């Protein structure tokens, strides 16, 4: 049991800098779309839901959270009796920016498949940012990523992230900051 708690706590901890960017982007969204309104084959390349401001604020929020977590990793880990990793700068950037890029890549796929802005794409919506975060972390901080994301932790991330995503987006919808509950 103690092992399971430590496993789940560690998995969620290392993903926090990837979880926060999407939520920060929702709060900060608006302004110029990344695709500048351009279309491809009659459909928007990305759509109005992917903005420069949302992407920048989301990325900064994720990196800032990693910096904050670094400051408290020791005391919090000791208090909870678990070993919590800290985030080197490139790992933090990879997780945060990668999460945003994964979400942007998903919008690209959604538009190509004819889905309008805001349409749901179950599965993709919940895991796009996980894939983006892990890939960019792997590219920017390969040793840290391989060491930190054990297969066990990855399994927890793949199972727990969709649940957390559904929960946080549902709350964001209910309190009126998000247009759709996904
Ligand atoms: N947002 C943003 N920039 C991003 C990601 C999100 O500005 N890179 C903001 C937008 O205001 C967006 C909101 O966060 O409408 C919700 O994000 P998301 O659900 O990812 O976008 P959707 O509007 O649903 O568009 P899409 O169908 O392309 O996912
Ligand atoms: Mg959406
Ligand atoms: K999305």
């Amino acid at each position: 049991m103690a092992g399971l708690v430590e496993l789940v706590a560690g998995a969620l901890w290392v993903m926090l800098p990837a979880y926060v960017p999407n939520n920060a982007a929702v709060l900060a969204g608006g302004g110029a779309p990344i695709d500048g309104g351009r279309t491809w084959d009659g459909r928007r390349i990305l759509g109005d839901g992917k903005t420069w401001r949302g992407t920048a604020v989301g990325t900064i929020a994720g990196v800032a959270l990693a910096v904050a977590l670094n400051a408290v990793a020791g005391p919090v880990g000791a208090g909870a009796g678990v070993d919590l990793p800290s985030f080197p700068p490139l790992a933090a950037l990879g997780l945060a920016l990668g999460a945003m890029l994964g979400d942007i890549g998903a919008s690209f796929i959604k538009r190509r498949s004819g889905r309008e802005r805001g349409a749901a794409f179950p599965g993709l919506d919940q895991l796009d940012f996980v894939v983006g975060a892990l890939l960019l972390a792997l590219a920017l901080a390969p040793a840290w990523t391989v060491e930190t994301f054990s297969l066990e932790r990855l399994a927890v991330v793949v199972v727990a992230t969709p649940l957390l995503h559904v929960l946080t987006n549902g709350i964001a919808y209910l309190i009126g900051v998000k247009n759709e509950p996904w």
Side-chain angles (χ1 to χ4, degrees), residues 69-159:
L69 292 179
N70 283 345
V72 300
V76 171
V82 298
D83 190 17
L84 298 173
S86 55
F87 303 87
L90 283 177
L93 181 65
L95 290 172
L97 179 59
M100 291 273 76
L101 294 179
D103 175 61
I104 289 169
S107 291
F108 180 80
I109 293 170
K110 286 194 207 174
R111 300 300 93 82
R112 305 286 74 68
S113 67
R115 290 172 173 79
E116 299 291 339
R117 172 194 181 178
F121 195 145
L124 191 66
D125 279 328
Q126 288 75 32
L127 288 169
D128 51 13
F129 63 101
V130 173
V131 174
L134 291 175
L135 286 180
L136 196 60
L138 193 61
L140 296 183
W144 180 87
T145 304
V146 170
E147 182 193 347
T148 304
F149 285 92
S150 61
L151 286 180
E152 280 180 315
R153 271 192 187 150
L154 279 179
V156 171
V157 167
V158 168
V159 173

Side-chain angles (χ1 to χ4, degrees), residues 25-26 29-30 49-51 54-55 103 107 110-111 117-118 178 180:
V26 171
K50 305 297 119 153
T51 69
T55 307
D103 175 61
S107 291
K110 286 194 207 174
R111 300 300 93 82
R117 172 194 181 178
K178 204 168 190 300
E180 306 88 15

